[in-house]
Amino acid sequence: MRVVVCVKQIPDPASPYELDPATHFLERPTDQILDDTDRYGVEMGLQLAEPTDGDVTLVSMGPAGNLQGIRQALAMGADQAIVIDDPTLRGADSLTTARALSAAIARTGFDVVIAGTESTDGYSGIVPQ
């Protein structure tokens, strides 16, 4: 079974961060963590893939930074990761994000896609639908 799990790296909520005064965009630190809720998705993907000797692919969009969050999910047992890090997508709305993730997922091939309802730094609840 080929399982795709949508994951997101977010700034550590315990660390301070600021908005860029010129652009009003969040200044994302290089060190980012895996969104807490996405850990459950990764674990579920691993449980689904294991009995069939399947694989788990992570798909994420946003600034790659040092990939700390993605490396964490790979350490849990995921097989590979696709990270969409394109400066032209900075500030993308939920629909644009969904389209970019969907295009990447379609290229990988899959049997099932796991996505949380929202990230702890966004709360739109739109992307998975």
Side-chain angles (χ1 to χ4, degrees):
M1 176 178 287
R2 296 173 298 168
V3 180
V4 172
V5 182
C6 293
V7 298
K8 186 173 183 188
Q9 296 187 116
I10 62 168
D12 187 342
S15 299
Y17 46 90
E18 300 174 358
L19 293 178
D20 179 324
T23 64
H24 303 288
F25 284 123
L26 175 67
E27 285 297 318
R28 292 187 178 267
T30 302
D31 290 334
Q32 297 187 75
I33 63 169
L34 183 65
D35 189 273
D36 274 341
T37 59
D38 291 339
R39 289 180 223 280
Y40 299 112
V42 172
E43 183 59 37
M44 181 55 63
L46 294 168
Q47 289 178 20
L48 288 171
E50 183 179 15
T52 63
D53 289 325
D55 59 79
V56 175
T57 300
L58 311 170
V59 178
S60 183
M61 182 177 127
N66 65 12
L67 296 172
Q68 179 179 338
I70 299 299
R71 286 195 325 264
Q72 183 181 32
L74 290 168
M76 291 173 68
D79 298 286
Q80 61 184 338
I82 299 167
V83 179
I84 304 165
D85 181 2
D86 185 333
T88 63
L89 293 172
R90 186 174 189 196
D93 62 13
S94 297
L95 180 58
T96 302
T97 299
R99 286 181 173 158
L101 292 171
S102 176
I105 292 167
R107 287 183 179 182
T108 68
F110 61 90
D111 294 306
V112 65
V113 176
I114 298 173
T117 55
E118 57 196 10
S119 65
T120 56
D121 71 336
Y123 298 112
S124 72
I126 295 170
V127 172
Q129 286 74 10

